[in-house]
Amino acid sequence: MSFTWSSDDHKAVVSQPGQKRSRGDAGNKVTVVLGAQWGDEGKGKVVDLLATEADVVCRCQGGNNAGHTVVVDGKEYDFHLLPSGIINTKSTSLIGNGVVIHLPGLFEEGDKNEKKGLKGWEKRLIVSDRAHLVFDFHQVVDGLQETERQAQEGKTIGTTKKGIGPAYSSKASRTGLRVCDLLGDFKDFSTRFKNLVRQYQSMYPALKVDAEDQLKKLKEYAERLRPMVRDGVYYMHEALHGSPKNILVEGANAALLDIDFGTYPFVTSSNCTVGGACTGLGIPPANIGDVFGVSKAYTTRVGIGAFPTEQLNAVGELLQTRGHEVGVTTGRKRRCGWLDLVIVRYAHMINGFTAIALTKLDILDVLDEIKVGVAYKLNGKRIPHFPANMDVLQKVEVEYETFPGWKTDTSAARKWNDLPVKAQNYIRFVENHIGVPIKWVGVGKSRECMIQMF
Ligand code: GDP
Ligand code: IMO
Ligand code: MG
Protein backbone atom coordinates (compact mmCIF):
# COMPACT_ATOMS: atom_id res chain seq x y z
CA MET A 1 0.00 0.00 0.00
CA SER A 2 1.30 3.49 -0.71
CA PHE A 3 0.27 7.04 0.09
CA THR A 4 0.20 10.29 -1.77
CA TRP A 5 -1.14 13.55 -0.43
CA SER A 6 -4.13 14.95 -2.18
CA SER A 7 -3.28 18.60 -2.81
CA ASP A 8 -6.73 20.05 -2.28
CA ASP A 9 -7.57 18.71 1.14
CA HIS A 10 -4.16 17.33 2.20
CA LYS A 11 -5.73 13.95 2.93
CA ALA A 12 -3.69 10.87 2.19
CA VAL A 13 -4.79 9.08 -0.97
CA VAL A 14 -4.11 5.38 -0.62
CA SER A 15 -3.43 3.12 -3.57
CA GLN A 16 -3.13 -0.66 -3.48
CA PRO A 17 0.00 -2.48 -4.62
CA GLY A 18 -0.14 -3.18 -8.34
CA GLN A 19 -2.90 -0.65 -8.83
CA LYS A 20 -2.12 1.49 -11.85
CA ARG A 21 -1.96 5.17 -10.95
CA SER A 22 -3.51 7.57 -13.35
CA ARG A 23 -1.42 10.46 -14.64
CA GLY A 24 -3.46 12.72 -12.37
CA ASP A 25 -2.31 10.78 -9.30
CA ALA A 26 1.32 11.10 -10.29
CA GLY A 27 0.89 14.85 -10.55
CA ASN A 28 2.55 17.42 -12.77
CA LYS A 29 5.78 16.59 -14.54
CA VAL A 30 8.82 18.80 -14.19
CA THR A 31 11.04 19.74 -17.14
CA VAL A 32 14.74 19.56 -16.37
CA VAL A 33 17.43 21.52 -18.23
CA LEU A 34 20.94 20.11 -17.81
CA GLY A 35 24.44 20.82 -19.06
CA ALA A 36 25.74 18.00 -21.28
CA GLN A 37 29.41 19.07 -21.32
CA TRP A 38 31.69 20.94 -18.84
CA GLY A 39 29.32 23.83 -18.18
CA ASP A 40 28.49 27.16 -19.82
CA GLU A 41 26.54 25.48 -22.60
CA GLY A 42 23.83 28.15 -22.52
CA LYS A 43 21.50 26.65 -19.92
CA GLY A 44 20.46 30.11 -18.75
CA LYS A 45 19.32 31.02 -22.25
CA VAL A 46 17.31 27.80 -22.65
CA VAL A 47 15.72 28.23 -19.22
CA ASP A 48 14.84 31.83 -20.00
CA LEU A 49 13.15 30.69 -23.19
CA LEU A 50 11.08 28.05 -21.39
CA ALA A 51 10.48 30.25 -18.34
CA THR A 52 8.18 32.52 -20.30
CA GLU A 53 5.61 29.69 -19.94
CA ALA A 54 6.70 28.44 -16.50
CA ASP A 55 4.88 28.77 -13.20
CA VAL A 56 7.84 27.66 -11.09
CA VAL A 57 11.57 27.68 -11.94
CA CYS A 58 13.85 25.80 -9.54
CA ARG A 59 17.54 25.43 -8.86
CA CYS A 60 18.34 22.06 -7.29
CA GLN A 61 22.12 21.93 -6.83
CA GLY A 62 25.35 23.89 -6.97
CA GLY A 63 25.77 27.40 -5.68
CA ASN A 64 27.14 30.64 -7.01
CA ASN A 65 29.89 28.74 -8.84
CA ALA A 66 27.31 28.76 -11.66
CA GLY A 67 27.09 31.71 -14.01
CA HIS A 68 24.07 31.81 -16.31
CA THR A 69 23.71 34.56 -18.87
CA VAL A 70 20.35 35.73 -20.13
CA VAL A 71 19.97 38.41 -22.78
CA VAL A 72 16.54 40.01 -23.08
CA ASP A 73 15.73 43.16 -25.06
CA GLY A 74 19.46 43.86 -25.45
CA LYS A 75 20.01 43.75 -21.69
CA GLU A 76 22.41 41.14 -20.33
CA TYR A 77 21.75 39.61 -16.92
CA ASP A 78 23.99 37.11 -15.17
CA PHE A 79 22.60 34.79 -12.54
CA HIS A 80 24.60 32.69 -10.10
CA LEU A 81 22.24 31.59 -7.34
CA LEU A 82 18.98 33.01 -8.61
CA PRO A 83 17.15 30.79 -11.10
CA SER A 84 17.23 32.41 -14.56
CA GLY A 85 13.41 32.32 -14.51
CA ILE A 86 13.46 35.16 -11.96
CA ILE A 87 13.19 37.54 -14.92
CA ASN A 88 9.70 36.28 -15.65
CA THR A 89 7.42 38.31 -13.38
CA LYS A 90 4.67 35.70 -13.64
CA SER A 91 6.69 32.76 -12.31
CA THR A 92 7.95 31.82 -8.88
CA SER A 93 11.62 30.93 -8.41
CA LEU A 94 12.71 28.29 -5.94
CA ILE A 95 16.15 27.58 -4.50
CA GLY A 96 15.94 23.93 -3.43
CA ASN A 97 17.50 22.01 -0.56
CA GLY A 98 20.33 20.70 -2.76
CA VAL A 99 21.71 24.18 -3.39
CA VAL A 100 24.40 25.70 -1.15
CA ILE A 101 23.68 29.37 -0.49
CA HIS A 102 26.14 32.15 0.22
CA LEU A 103 23.79 34.80 1.57
CA PRO A 104 25.96 37.88 0.88
CA GLY A 105 26.34 36.56 -2.69
CA LEU A 106 22.59 36.02 -3.08
CA PHE A 107 21.63 39.53 -2.01
CA GLU A 108 24.47 41.14 -3.91
CA GLU A 109 23.31 39.33 -7.06
CA GLY A 110 19.71 40.39 -6.54
CA ASP A 111 20.67 44.02 -5.87
CA LYS A 112 22.98 44.14 -8.89
CA ASN A 113 20.28 42.81 -11.22
CA GLU A 114 17.73 45.15 -9.64
CA LYS A 115 19.88 48.05 -10.85
CA LYS A 116 19.59 46.57 -14.36
CA GLY A 117 15.82 46.62 -14.07
CA LEU A 118 14.94 43.31 -12.38
CA LYS A 119 12.02 44.32 -10.18
CA GLY A 120 10.35 42.50 -7.29
CA TRP A 121 12.68 39.48 -7.28
CA GLU A 122 12.54 39.08 -3.47
CA LYS A 123 8.77 38.61 -3.67
CA ARG A 124 9.09 35.93 -6.37
CA LEU A 125 11.84 33.95 -4.64
CA ILE A 126 11.30 30.96 -2.37
CA VAL A 127 14.19 29.37 -0.49
CA SER A 128 14.10 25.87 0.96
CA ASP A 129 14.62 25.69 4.70
CA ARG A 130 16.79 22.60 4.15
CA ALA A 131 19.35 24.32 1.92
CA HIS A 132 22.86 24.49 3.38
CA LEU A 133 24.71 27.75 3.92
CA VAL A 134 28.05 28.74 2.48
CA PHE A 135 29.92 30.98 4.88
CA ASP A 136 32.65 33.47 4.03
CA PHE A 137 35.20 31.18 5.68
CA HIS A 138 34.15 28.31 3.36
CA GLN A 139 35.24 30.56 0.50
CA VAL A 140 38.56 31.36 2.21
CA VAL A 141 39.09 27.62 2.82
CA ASP A 142 38.36 26.94 -0.88
CA GLY A 143 41.33 29.21 -1.69
CA LEU A 144 43.53 27.62 1.00
CA GLN A 145 42.75 24.14 -0.35
CA GLU A 146 43.76 25.24 -3.84
CA THR A 147 47.07 26.58 -2.47
CA GLU A 148 47.58 23.29 -0.65
CA ARG A 149 46.86 21.28 -3.83
CA GLN A 150 49.39 23.37 -5.72
CA ALA A 151 52.01 22.81 -3.02
CA GLN A 152 51.34 19.08 -2.62
CA GLU A 153 50.49 17.96 -6.15
CA GLY A 154 51.81 20.79 -8.27
CA LYS A 155 48.30 21.47 -9.62
CA THR A 156 44.98 22.91 -8.54
CA ILE A 157 41.38 22.03 -9.51
CA GLY A 158 40.82 25.59 -10.67
CA THR A 159 37.71 26.04 -8.53
CA THR A 160 35.64 29.19 -8.63
CA LYS A 161 36.66 29.81 -4.97
CA LYS A 162 33.03 30.29 -4.07
CA GLY A 163 33.30 27.85 -1.16
CA ILE A 164 31.31 25.12 -2.90
CA GLY A 165 33.58 22.16 -2.05
CA PRO A 166 34.03 23.14 1.62
CA ALA A 167 30.28 23.81 2.09
CA TYR A 168 29.26 20.43 0.62
CA SER A 169 32.03 18.85 2.76
CA SER A 170 30.44 20.39 5.87
CA LYS A 171 27.06 19.05 4.71
CA ALA A 172 28.45 15.53 4.20
CA SER A 173 30.32 15.56 7.51
CA ARG A 174 27.12 16.59 9.31
CA THR A 175 28.55 19.80 10.74
CA GLY A 176 26.98 22.09 8.14
CA LEU A 177 24.34 24.68 8.96
CA ARG A 178 21.11 25.10 7.07
CA VAL A 179 18.65 27.89 6.42
CA CYS A 180 16.29 26.40 9.04
CA ASP A 181 19.11 26.57 11.63
CA LEU A 182 19.76 30.22 10.84
CA LEU A 183 16.09 31.06 11.27
CA GLY A 184 15.71 28.97 14.43
CA ASP A 185 17.27 29.59 17.83
CA PHE A 186 20.09 32.03 17.07
CA LYS A 187 21.99 31.13 20.26
CA ASP A 188 22.11 27.52 19.19
CA PHE A 189 23.06 28.57 15.64
CA SER A 190 25.90 30.73 17.03
CA THR A 191 27.31 27.83 19.06
CA ARG A 192 27.27 25.49 16.06
CA PHE A 193 28.74 28.20 13.83
CA LYS A 194 31.66 28.71 16.25
CA ASN A 195 32.21 24.93 16.46
CA LEU A 196 32.36 24.75 12.69
CA VAL A 197 34.84 27.64 12.58
CA ARG A 198 37.01 25.87 15.18
CA GLN A 199 36.88 22.67 13.17
CA TYR A 200 38.20 24.45 10.08
CA GLN A 201 40.78 26.39 12.09
CA SER A 202 42.18 23.14 13.45
CA MET A 203 42.63 21.98 9.84
CA TYR A 204 43.84 25.37 8.56
CA PRO A 205 45.65 27.25 11.37
CA ALA A 206 46.12 30.25 9.05
CA LEU A 207 42.34 30.72 8.83
CA LYS A 208 41.25 33.93 10.56
CA VAL A 209 37.55 34.35 11.29
CA ASP A 210 35.91 37.15 13.27
CA ALA A 211 33.04 34.95 14.45
CA GLU A 212 31.15 37.71 16.28
CA ASP A 213 31.23 40.00 13.26
CA GLN A 214 30.11 37.16 10.97
CA LEU A 215 27.24 36.27 13.30
CA LYS A 216 26.10 39.91 13.44
CA LYS A 217 25.93 40.01 9.64
CA LEU A 218 24.24 36.62 9.43
CA LYS A 219 21.54 37.79 11.84
CA GLU A 220 20.77 40.67 9.51
CA TYR A 221 20.68 38.40 6.46
CA ALA A 222 18.38 36.04 8.37
CA GLU A 223 15.73 38.74 8.70
CA ARG A 224 15.94 39.67 5.02
CA LEU A 225 15.71 36.00 4.07
CA ARG A 226 12.93 34.98 6.48
CA PRO A 227 9.92 35.99 4.33
CA MET A 228 11.24 33.83 1.44
CA VAL A 229 11.79 30.63 3.39
CA ARG A 230 9.41 27.66 3.08
CA ASP A 231 9.46 23.93 3.60
CA GLY A 232 10.75 23.11 0.12
CA VAL A 233 9.48 19.53 0.07
CA TYR A 234 5.95 20.55 0.92
CA TYR A 235 6.07 23.46 -1.52
CA MET A 236 7.12 21.14 -4.36
CA HIS A 237 4.52 18.56 -3.37
CA GLU A 238 1.82 21.20 -3.58
CA ALA A 239 3.15 22.40 -6.92
CA LEU A 240 3.21 18.85 -8.30
CA HIS A 241 -0.22 17.84 -7.09
CA GLY A 242 -2.20 21.06 -7.33
CA SER A 243 -3.64 22.54 -10.50
CA PRO A 244 -1.72 21.87 -13.76
CA LYS A 245 1.56 23.75 -13.64
CA ASN A 246 4.65 24.20 -15.76
CA ILE A 247 7.59 23.46 -13.49
CA LEU A 248 11.12 23.92 -14.70
CA VAL A 249 14.38 22.80 -13.10
CA GLU A 250 17.52 24.69 -14.07
CA GLY A 251 20.62 22.54 -13.74
CA ALA A 252 23.85 24.26 -12.77
CA ASN A 253 27.35 23.14 -13.77
CA ALA A 254 27.16 20.03 -15.98
CA ALA A 255 27.43 16.26 -16.46
CA LEU A 256 31.23 16.21 -16.81
CA LEU A 257 31.51 18.26 -13.62
CA ASP A 258 29.23 15.90 -11.66
CA ILE A 259 30.79 14.62 -8.43
CA ASP A 260 30.00 10.99 -9.37
CA PHE A 261 30.09 10.93 -13.16
CA GLY A 262 32.37 13.82 -14.06
CA THR A 263 36.09 13.96 -14.71
CA TYR A 264 36.91 13.40 -11.03
CA PRO A 265 38.69 14.98 -9.19
CA PHE A 266 38.39 17.94 -11.59
CA VAL A 267 34.69 18.32 -10.90
CA THR A 268 32.35 20.29 -8.68
CA SER A 269 30.87 18.88 -5.46
CA SER A 270 27.24 18.19 -6.38
CA ASN A 271 25.24 15.92 -8.68
CA CYS A 272 24.65 17.98 -11.79
CA THR A 273 22.96 15.07 -13.55
CA VAL A 274 19.25 14.22 -13.45
CA GLY A 275 19.30 12.55 -10.02
CA GLY A 276 20.22 15.93 -8.54
CA ALA A 277 16.77 17.22 -9.53
CA CYS A 278 15.11 14.61 -7.29
CA THR A 279 17.45 14.86 -4.31
CA GLY A 280 17.87 18.60 -4.60
CA LEU A 281 14.16 19.35 -4.55
CA GLY A 282 12.64 16.35 -2.82
CA ILE A 283 10.57 15.17 -5.77
CA PRO A 284 9.87 11.58 -6.91
CA PRO A 285 11.45 10.29 -10.15
CA ALA A 286 7.94 9.66 -11.52
CA ASN A 287 7.47 13.42 -11.70
CA ILE A 288 10.45 13.96 -13.98
CA GLY A 289 9.15 14.72 -17.47
CA ASP A 290 11.31 16.10 -20.26
CA VAL A 291 15.04 16.21 -19.67
CA PHE A 292 16.67 18.69 -22.04
CA GLY A 293 20.42 18.45 -22.52
CA VAL A 294 22.24 21.62 -23.52
CA SER A 295 25.40 21.36 -25.60
CA LYS A 296 27.42 23.90 -27.52
CA ALA A 297 28.19 23.14 -31.16
CA TYR A 298 31.81 22.87 -29.92
CA THR A 299 33.29 22.23 -26.48
CA THR A 300 34.65 24.46 -23.72
CA ARG A 301 36.02 23.89 -20.27
CA VAL A 302 37.03 26.25 -17.44
CA GLY A 303 39.62 25.10 -14.95
CA ILE A 304 41.95 22.13 -14.97
CA GLY A 305 41.48 18.56 -16.21
CA ALA A 306 41.57 16.33 -19.28
CA PHE A 307 39.90 17.70 -22.42
CA PRO A 308 40.45 15.28 -25.34
CA THR A 309 39.17 17.53 -28.15
CA GLU A 310 40.89 20.70 -26.88
CA GLN A 311 42.50 22.75 -29.65
CA LEU A 312 45.62 24.53 -28.44
CA ASN A 313 45.98 26.26 -31.79
CA ALA A 314 44.38 28.87 -34.05
CA VAL A 315 41.04 27.00 -34.07
CA GLY A 316 40.89 27.03 -30.25
CA GLU A 317 41.76 30.73 -30.23
CA LEU A 318 39.12 31.53 -32.84
CA LEU A 319 36.42 29.69 -30.86
CA GLN A 320 37.53 31.50 -27.69
CA THR A 321 37.43 34.98 -29.22
CA ARG A 322 34.39 34.59 -31.52
CA GLY A 323 32.49 32.76 -28.79
CA HIS A 324 33.51 35.33 -26.11
CA GLU A 325 34.49 32.32 -24.07
CA VAL A 326 35.21 33.97 -20.75
CA GLY A 327 33.82 32.62 -17.45
CA VAL A 328 30.78 34.51 -16.15
CA THR A 329 31.74 33.82 -12.53
CA THR A 330 35.52 34.07 -12.56
CA GLY A 331 36.38 36.00 -15.73
CA ARG A 332 38.82 33.22 -16.73
CA LYS A 333 39.33 32.39 -20.41
CA ARG A 334 37.58 29.13 -21.27
CA ARG A 335 39.58 26.40 -22.97
CA CYS A 336 38.07 25.53 -26.37
CA GLY A 337 37.93 22.57 -28.74
CA TRP A 338 35.82 20.61 -31.19
CA LEU A 339 32.46 19.14 -30.26
CA ASP A 340 33.10 15.87 -28.43
CA LEU A 341 30.16 13.54 -29.03
CA VAL A 342 31.68 10.87 -26.79
CA ILE A 343 31.00 13.08 -23.78
CA VAL A 344 27.53 14.16 -24.93
CA ARG A 345 26.55 10.52 -25.48
CA TYR A 346 27.95 9.69 -22.05
CA ALA A 347 25.87 12.52 -20.55
CA HIS A 348 22.83 11.07 -22.35
CA MET A 349 23.48 7.58 -20.88
CA ILE A 350 23.19 9.08 -17.40
CA ASN A 351 20.48 11.67 -17.96
CA GLY A 352 18.23 10.09 -20.60
CA PHE A 353 17.79 13.31 -22.54
CA THR A 354 14.48 13.63 -24.34
CA ALA A 355 15.80 16.44 -26.55
CA ILE A 356 18.91 18.55 -27.04
CA ALA A 357 19.49 22.29 -27.38
CA LEU A 358 22.54 22.84 -29.57
CA THR A 359 23.80 26.34 -28.87
CA LYS A 360 26.34 28.69 -30.45
CA LEU A 361 26.18 27.25 -33.96
CA ASP A 362 26.84 30.79 -35.22
CA ILE A 363 30.34 30.72 -33.73
CA LEU A 364 31.31 28.08 -36.33
CA ASP A 365 30.12 30.26 -39.26
CA VAL A 366 33.59 31.31 -40.41
CA LEU A 367 35.41 27.98 -40.30
CA ASP A 368 36.64 26.26 -43.49
CA GLU A 369 36.16 22.87 -41.96
CA ILE A 370 34.62 21.61 -38.75
CA LYS A 371 35.57 18.49 -36.84
CA VAL A 372 33.50 16.41 -34.46
CA GLY A 373 34.96 13.85 -32.05
CA VAL A 374 33.05 10.60 -32.47
CA ALA A 375 35.08 7.96 -30.65
CA TYR A 376 38.05 7.45 -28.34
CA LYS A 377 40.88 5.04 -29.06
CA LEU A 378 43.36 3.56 -26.62
CA ASN A 379 46.44 1.86 -28.05
CA GLY A 380 44.83 2.06 -31.48
CA LYS A 381 41.61 0.33 -30.39
CA ARG A 382 38.21 2.00 -30.00
CA ILE A 383 36.87 1.94 -26.44
CA PRO A 384 33.10 1.72 -25.91
CA HIS A 385 32.93 3.60 -22.59
CA PHE A 386 33.99 6.96 -21.18
CA PRO A 387 37.10 6.35 -19.00
CA ALA A 388 36.76 6.95 -15.25
CA ASN A 389 40.48 7.30 -14.75
CA MET A 390 41.91 10.71 -15.66
CA ASP A 391 45.31 9.29 -16.65
CA VAL A 392 43.51 7.11 -19.18
CA LEU A 393 41.38 10.02 -20.42
CA GLN A 394 44.55 12.08 -20.91
CA LYS A 395 45.87 9.34 -23.18
CA VAL A 396 42.90 8.70 -25.46
CA GLU A 397 43.21 9.47 -29.12
CA VAL A 398 40.12 11.09 -30.61
CA GLU A 399 38.62 9.86 -33.86
CA TYR A 400 37.08 12.76 -35.81
CA GLU A 401 34.55 13.21 -38.58
CA THR A 402 35.31 16.26 -40.71
CA PHE A 403 32.64 18.50 -42.24
CA PRO A 404 32.98 21.35 -44.73
CA GLY A 405 32.26 24.74 -43.15
CA TRP A 406 29.20 26.64 -44.40
CA LYS A 407 31.02 30.02 -44.37
CA THR A 408 27.71 31.89 -44.08
CA ASP A 409 26.36 34.12 -41.32
CA THR A 410 23.63 32.14 -39.53
CA SER A 411 22.85 34.72 -36.86
CA ALA A 412 19.71 35.95 -38.62
CA ALA A 413 18.30 32.44 -39.18
CA ARG A 414 15.03 31.90 -37.35
CA LYS A 415 13.86 28.63 -38.87
CA TRP A 416 15.42 25.40 -40.15
CA ASN A 417 15.10 26.40 -43.79
CA ASP A 418 17.05 29.62 -43.16
CA LEU A 419 20.15 27.56 -42.34
CA PRO A 420 22.70 26.66 -45.05
CA VAL A 421 22.50 23.01 -46.13
CA LYS A 422 26.00 22.34 -44.81
CA ALA A 423 24.94 23.57 -41.37
CA GLN A 424 21.79 21.40 -41.60
CA ASN A 425 23.99 18.39 -42.40
CA TYR A 426 26.20 19.13 -39.41
CA ILE A 427 23.18 19.35 -37.08
CA ARG A 428 21.62 16.14 -38.46
CA PHE A 429 24.90 14.29 -38.00
CA VAL A 430 25.14 15.40 -34.36
CA GLU A 431 21.52 14.44 -33.75
CA ASN A 432 21.93 10.98 -35.27
CA HIS A 433 25.15 10.33 -33.44
CA ILE A 434 23.75 11.22 -30.01
CA GLY A 435 20.48 9.47 -30.82
CA VAL A 436 18.39 12.28 -29.36
CA PRO A 437 16.35 14.83 -31.33
CA ILE A 438 17.71 18.36 -31.45
CA LYS A 439 14.84 20.63 -30.50
CA TRP A 440 16.62 24.00 -30.56
CA VAL A 441 19.60 25.45 -32.39
CA GLY A 442 21.16 28.62 -30.98
CA VAL A 443 22.49 31.23 -33.41
CA GLY A 444 23.02 34.21 -31.11
CA LYS A 445 22.89 35.46 -27.54
CA SER A 446 19.40 36.83 -27.30
CA ARG A 447 16.12 35.06 -26.64
CA GLU A 448 14.93 35.25 -30.23
CA CYS A 449 18.15 33.74 -31.63
CA MET A 450 16.92 30.22 -31.14
CA ILE A 451 15.58 28.05 -33.95
CA GLN A 452 12.89 25.72 -32.70
CA MET A 453 12.84 22.50 -34.73
CA PHE A 454 9.61 20.94 -33.49
P1 GDP B 1 25.29 28.56 -18.79
O1 GDP B 1 26.20 28.58 -17.61
O2 GDP B 1 25.09 27.17 -19.33
O3 GDP B 1 23.98 29.25 -18.54
O4 GDP B 1 26.04 29.37 -19.94
P2 GDP B 1 26.86 30.77 -19.78
O5 GDP B 1 25.88 31.88 -19.65
O6 GDP B 1 27.91 30.64 -18.74
O7 GDP B 1 27.64 30.81 -21.15
C1 GDP B 1 27.00 30.77 -22.38
C2 GDP B 1 27.36 32.05 -23.16
O8 GDP B 1 26.99 31.88 -24.49
C3 GDP B 1 26.61 33.27 -22.68
O9 GDP B 1 27.42 34.39 -22.87
C4 GDP B 1 25.42 33.34 -23.61
O10 GDP B 1 24.89 34.63 -23.77
C5 GDP B 1 26.01 32.84 -24.89
N1 GDP B 1 25.11 32.11 -25.79
C6 GDP B 1 24.15 31.20 -25.48
N2 GDP B 1 23.61 30.68 -26.59
C7 GDP B 1 24.25 31.27 -27.64
C8 GDP B 1 24.16 31.12 -29.06
O11 GDP B 1 23.40 30.32 -29.58
N3 GDP B 1 25.01 31.90 -29.80
C9 GDP B 1 25.89 32.78 -29.25
N4 GDP B 1 26.67 33.49 -30.04
N5 GDP B 1 25.98 32.94 -27.91
C10 GDP B 1 25.18 32.19 -27.13
P1 IMO C 1 27.61 26.82 -15.08
O1 IMO C 1 26.35 26.52 -14.30
C1 IMO C 1 31.83 25.99 -15.91
C2 IMO C 1 34.16 24.19 -12.64
C3 IMO C 1 35.24 25.12 -12.12
C4 IMO C 1 36.27 24.10 -11.66
C5 IMO C 1 35.40 22.99 -11.10
C6 IMO C 1 35.21 23.02 -9.60
O2 IMO C 1 27.81 28.27 -15.34
O3 IMO C 1 27.71 25.96 -16.28
P2 IMO C 1 33.84 24.60 -7.95
O4 IMO C 1 33.96 26.07 -7.70
O5 IMO C 1 32.49 24.16 -8.36
O6 IMO C 1 34.38 23.78 -6.80
O7 IMO C 1 34.86 24.32 -9.19
O8 IMO C 1 34.14 23.10 -11.73
N1 IMO C 1 32.80 24.79 -12.68
C7 IMO C 1 32.21 25.28 -13.77
N2 IMO C 1 32.69 25.46 -15.02
N3 IMO C 1 30.55 26.33 -15.62
C8 IMO C 1 30.05 26.17 -14.38
O9 IMO C 1 28.77 26.41 -14.06
C9 IMO C 1 30.91 25.64 -13.38
N4 IMO C 1 30.75 25.34 -12.07
C10 IMO C 1 31.91 24.80 -11.65
O10 IMO C 1 35.74 25.95 -13.15
O11 IMO C 1 36.96 23.60 -12.76
MG1 MG D 1 27.98 29.46 -16.99
Side-chain angles (χ1 to χ4, degrees):
M1 207 157 62
S2 65
F3 292 82
T4 56
W5 286 97
S6 140
S7 56
D8 299 331
D9 53 13
H10 311 313
K11 271 192 230 139
V13 177
V14 183
S15 61
Q16 300 300 327
Q19 183 185 337
K20 221 172 173 191
R21 301 166 99 206
S22 71
R23 196 165 184 280
D25 283 341
N28 294 314
K29 300 272 186 190
V30 306
T31 299
V32 187
V33 176
L34 298 172
Q37 300 170 306
W38 275 289
D40 306 323
E41 298 90 348
K43 297 175 290 292
K45 186 185 166 197
V46 174
V47 167
D48 169 62
L49 194 75
L50 295 168
T52 52
E53 302 286 316
D55 299 294
V56 188
V57 185
C58 319
R59 274 280 306 269
C60 61
Q61 45 69 231
N64 57 357
N65 51 350
H68 298 174
T69 318
V70 175
V71 183
V72 185
D73 299 332
K75 234 184 246 173
E76 188 162 321
Y77 300 88
D78 56 293
F79 297 115
H80 302 269
L81 268 162
L82 291 172
S84 299
I86 196 85
I87 290 189
N88 179 9
T89 52
K90 292 198 189 78
S91 67
T92 301
S93 286
L94 172 77
I95 297 181
N97 57 277
V99 176
V100 287
I101 307 173
H102 181 245
L103 290 173
L106 174 69
F107 289 114
E108 205 177 286
E109 179 181 338
D111 293 344
K112 191 181 86 183
N113 282 303
E114 206 167 290
K115 288 198 186 100
K116 287 190 192 169
L118 181 75
K119 296 266 177 309
W121 64 274
E122 290 190 58
K123 294 211 166 56
R124 296 197 292 281
L125 183 67
I126 290 181
V127 177
S128 166
D129 53 355
R130 289 181 175 83
H132 276 254
L133 295 169
V134 180
F135 299 115
D136 288 348
F137 67 80
H138 281 130
Q139 300 195 334
V140 178
V141 168
D142 199 344
L144 293 173
Q145 288 179 339
E146 285 284 76
T147 309
E148 201 172 74
R149 284 180 196 115
Q150 185 64 46
Q152 289 175 349
E153 300 162 43
K155 58 181 178 231
T156 62
I157 290 178
T159 73
T160 59
K161 300 200 180 145
K162 296 291 179 188
I164 305 302
Y168 278 115
S169 300
S170 297
K171 174 177 176 175
S173 63
R174 279 91 26 107
T175 47
L177 285 153
R178 302 186 293 173
V179 166
C180 57
D181 302 317
L182 177 66
L183 300 191
D185 177 11
F186 198 74
K187 216 169 132 216
D188 186 40
F189 176 85
S190 305
T191 307
R192 289 175 62 192
F193 178 84
K194 286 178 188 164
N195 288 343
L196 187 59
V197 170
R198 261 181 237 117
Q199 193 188 72
Y200 273 107
Q201 282 176 327
S202 66
M203 282 189 280
Y204 301 97
L207 178 68
K208 299 256 180 308
V209 183
D210 183 342
E212 294 305 335
D213 181 60
Q214 287 284 304
L215 285 165
K216 190 169 150 259
K217 287 179 182 147
L218 283 161
K219 203 167 185 187
E220 284 166 20
Y221 285 125
E223 292 322 308
R224 197 168 166 194
L225 187 70
R226 198 179 292 279
M228 305 173 204
V229 177
R230 301 272 191 291
D231 184 304
V233 174
Y234 187 69
Y235 180 86
M236 282 310 292
H237 184 81
E238 291 273 278
L240 292 174
H241 296 281
S243 54
K245 278 193 178 62
N246 277 330
I247 305 169
L248 200 56
V249 180
E250 175 177 11
N253 328 124
L256 274 294
L257 293 171
D258 183 284
I259 181 87
D260 282 280
F261 303 111
T263 43
Y264 194 90
F266 304 101
V267 293
T268 191
S269 302
S270 65
N271 282 117
C272 335
T273 44
V274 67
C278 291
T279 56
L281 291 166
I283 59 173
N287 292 93
I288 302 287
D290 272 315
V291 181
F292 297 137
V294 188
S295 168
K296 280 178 192 168
Y298 51 98
T299 309
T300 63
R301 175 164 202 182
V302 197
I304 319 297
F307 181 172
T309 62
E310 183 170 22
Q311 296 299 299
L312 295 166
N313 52 30
V315 170
E317 275 164 37
L318 182 131
L319 294 171
Q320 197 277 323
T321 42
R322 258 186 80 75
H324 304 288
E325 296 296 352
V326 177
V328 185
T329 303
T330 58
R332 288 178 290 179
K333 269 192 184 180
R334 296 172 183 150
R335 299 156 64 195
C336 297
W338 297 120
L339 178 60
D340 183 344
L341 289 178
V342 179
I343 70 165
V344 182
R345 279 168 62 119
Y346 172 65
H348 173 49
M349 284 180 208
I350 299 158
N351 290 312
F353 297 134
T354 55
I356 298 276
L358 189 72
T359 60
K360 303 192 97 162
L361 184 83
D362 53 304
I363 305 306
L364 306 181
D365 285 351
V366 296
L367 289 164
D368 292 324
E369 62 174 31
I370 298 161
K371 292 190 179 196
V372 182
V374 291
Y376 291 166
K377 281 187 192 163
L378 260 182
N379 306 320
K381 266 199 178 148
R382 268 193 180 200
I383 52 168
H385 60 278
F386 181 78
N389 184 302
M390 284 312 98
D391 292 337
V392 176
L393 189 62
Q394 291 281 10
K395 288 195 195 106
V396 297
E397 191 195 325
V398 183
E399 207 177 294
Y400 289 100
E401 284 281 331
T402 305
F403 294 82
W406 42 92
K407 310 274 279 178
T408 312
D409 181 359
T410 58
S411 62
R414 294 292 173 268
K415 48 187 195 307
W416 176 247
N417 287 339
D418 296 340
L419 288 172
V421 173
K422 285 177 182 159
Q424 292 180 344
N425 291 342
Y426 180 78
I427 295 163
R428 287 300 180 217
F429 176 84
V430 171
E431 181 173 70
N432 288 334
H433 198 85
I434 309 171
V436 180
I438 291 179
K439 192 172 167 72
W440 297 276
V441 176
V443 291
K445 276 183 160 230
S446 37
R447 200 186 262 175
E448 59 279 7
C449 295
M450 203 65 147
I451 299 170
Q452 182 155 352
M453 314 271 279
F454 58 92

